[in-house]
């Protein structure tokens, strides 16, 4: 699969997984990446997600398999992993206030 097709596929898969963007969608995302606890608002979910370092491709794959994605202890290790595996999420597809924005880290 070419890079453009992979990029398009990951965007579609994540959007399908995430849903409409309700509070319940945000809370599910937090649970799926291993954030537990009471998160009563989208803002609280977004803040919690800023502390999690995961690869979005791995998140989508992990959810399909019913497991949690690999979490990296810091941004540097996530960057090294992302570059070595070439599992990039297309920056031009990031919505300003969406969940991908909360998960994105500057790689290059």
């Amino acid at each position: 699969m070419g890079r453009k097709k992979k990029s398009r596929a990951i965007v579609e898969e994540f959007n399908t997984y995430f849903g409409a963007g309700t509070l319940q969608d945000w809370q599910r995302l937090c649970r799926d990446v291993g954030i537990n606890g009471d998160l009563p608002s989208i803002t609280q979910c977004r803040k919690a997600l800023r502390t999690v370092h995961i690869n979005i491709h791995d998140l989508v794959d992990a959810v399909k398999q019913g497991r949690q994605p690999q979490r990296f202890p810091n941004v540097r290790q996530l960057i090294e992993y992302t570059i070595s595996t070439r599992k990039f999420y297309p920056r031009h597809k990031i919505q300003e206030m969406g969940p991908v924005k909360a998960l994105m880290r500057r790689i290059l």
Side-chain angles (χ1 to χ4, degrees):
M1 186 182 300
R3 189 186 314 186
K4 284 188 179 187
K5 281 187 178 182
K6 280 185 182 179
S7 291
R8 199 173 310 124
I10 190 63
V11 170
E12 289 174 12
E13 288 183 59
F14 185 83
N15 289 341
T16 299
Y17 154 75
F18 187 69
T22 65
L23 174 58
Q24 291 76 23
D25 293 330
W26 282 87
Q27 290 170 330
R28 178 176 31 84
L29 173 60
C30 288
R31 281 190 308 274
D32 288 347
V33 299
I35 299 171
N36 298 309
D38 185 32
L39 298 167
S41 71
I42 290 174
T43 301
Q44 290 295 318
C45 292
R46 190 178 290 119
K47 286 180 182 177
L49 288 168
R50 285 189 208 138
T51 66
V52 175
H53 309 297
I54 61 164
N55 182 279
I56 295 171
H57 287 262
D58 290 351
L59 168 63
V60 170
D61 290 341
V63 168
K64 287 180 195 174
Q65 297 171 9
R67 60 178 179 80
Q68 286 189 351
Q70 178 181 359
R71 287 177 66 166
F72 296 89
N74 56 53
V75 175
R76 185 177 191 187
Q77 288 183 12
L78 172 61
I79 290 169
E80 290 172 2
Y81 172 82
T82 301
I83 291 171
S84 70
T85 60
R86 306 203 42 82
K87 293 181 179 179
F88 297 100
Y89 190 92
R91 291 195 67 77
H92 66 282
K93 293 292 186 176
I94 301 169
Q95 296 175 352
E96 189 57 38
M97 297 304 288
V100 171
K101 175 77 173 175
L103 292 171
M104 289 297 289
R105 305 296 180 263
R106 186 169 295 280
I107 302 294
L108 299 173

